[in-house]
Amino acid sequence: MLRGAITIALLLAAWEYFARSGIFSRAITPPLETIAVALVSMIADGSIFRHTLATMLRVAIGLAIALAIAIPLGMLMGRYALWERILRPAVAVLMPIPSLAWVPLVVLWFGIGNVATVLIVVYASTFSLLYNVWMGVKTINPIWVRAAQVMNAHGWRLFRHVIWPAALPSIITGIRLAFGRAWIAVIGGELLASPQWGLGKLIFDAKEFLNADTMLAALFVIGVLGLFFERVVFQLLERATVNRWGMASGARR
Amino acid sequence: MSRLSGILLGCVAFVVLALAWQAAYWAGVFPPRLFPSLATVADTLGRLTINGTMLVSAAATLFRLLFGFLLAGVVGVVVGLLMGRVQWIEDALLPIVSFMYPIPGIAYAPLFVLWFGLGDLPAILLVAVATSFTVIINTWKGVKAVNPIWIRSAHAMGASERSIFAKVILPGALPYVLTGLRLGLASAWRILVAVEMLMSVTQGLGWLIFGSQQFLNTDVMLATIAVIGIVGMLLERQVFLRLEQATIVRWGMMSA
């Protein structure tokens, strides 16, 4: 912990030295003070919160739509071989296409703005979710299903009391992975599709005016948010669900 | 179920998708200029392949991918191994790596343009930066996951530090390292396409899509997206599956 703090301090000092040495122009590599000032002024006038809110809303809506698509399809693919055979090739072809490759096309279809960015988030997150739901359902211990069926649990009851809880750990893992994908896609989408607000848009605008301080401040916010979600939100979620039910093996860092 | 019926079932989804696409085309949901028919896309794909545009673009993109990925692979594996073996390096670097890892690589793109200008250099560097964290984290985890009993028994049998490193730790960590490289390559591919749109490189698949947007050439864009998907799938399936078969599966560390 202490050593970590020392390294970060050293790194910051190195940056400060580099920034003030004038190898690159000050405008391009601003010293820490300037970055901090940019961050504080964006906090003071509230614009950073508006940008963050816009980005987070897009991620949330995109993830919600992706869940609504991926959970039913993944369940069908995991439970019924017919659906798996029908859908697997399509998933295999569509999954490796980077979501950001669609941005220019989606912008032409739906214009600049929220629809385009949300759709990019949906494309980016649906497949990793789908894959995890499918695999989660497929790898359910068949003895549990058969035991439940012997005890006359079918249809909804089988789903509600056996399949859903058994698949939930993989679904939660899927949500975590999908968030990582969505986070990349939303920033990239905002850079390319430039809606009115958003952290990606903030960086893109700052480039036009050579405001490297604003860009670095925005990167800092993006990093803190990413770390917060990865370390706090999802770890708490896993602790409250998967770990508590004793379904994860071993501790994770 | 026979092999043939499996293939036929696999085609069902594509047929449905194609029919839905054509229905949207005929119904005129979007203007035809923005929403070409599948025949036009196929025609464009054929034309661009024959006149070499597609090959040149794909070669340019793969060239950047190769250099960026090699850089990230070498740096990532070395840093990851050091972090796994040397305590003070781990203490020093872990906070930085954990902070940088969740920042989408693409967010650095405008900054890299300011620092390094436009063109190949910033594109390659950005792909390398974006990819290296995945490789570092996985390599580090792999070294940490090597069974300590293996190391101790090698010690007991009089192995030197160097041969322990080369014969125990390195092969022991390899499954994780390969996973890191595979994930890294996939993310490099995804990011590179977007990077090419932002860096205004002179050639490349991402640039082909972005450049076509100016002229509303949606058929070119769709044909390029198809090529990007196919190349991405080949990279994933062919390159890494073979590498895994030749190493960890063969050594019995992972079942195929």
Side-chain angles (χ1 to χ4, degrees), chain A residues 68-92:
Chain A
I69 299 172
I71 290 183
L73 279 184
M75 294 261 168
L76 281 178
M77 286 173 77
R79 284 291 291 162
Y80 303 109
L82 180 70
W83 281 97
E84 186 177 1
R85 275 161 190 274
I86 290 176
L87 290 175
R88 191 166 59 184
V91 172

Side-chain angles (χ1 to χ4, degrees), chain A residues 6 14-15 25 73 75 79 89 91-92 103-104 119 123 146 182 203 212 236 242 251:
Chain A
I6 293 173
W15 172 266
S25 139
L73 279 184
M75 294 261 168
R79 284 291 291 162
V91 172
V103 176
L119 276 179
Y123 193 90
R146 263 183 268 153
I203 296 180
L236 284 180
V242 184

Side-chain angles (χ1 to χ4, degrees), chain B residues 34-57:
Chain B
L34 298 184
F35 200 89
S37 77
L38 288 177
T40 320
V41 176
D43 190 50
T44 309
L45 182 59
R47 185 167 50 82
L48 290 178
T49 311
I50 289 166
N51 77 12
T53 313
M54 211 47 106
L55 287 175
V56 171
S57 304

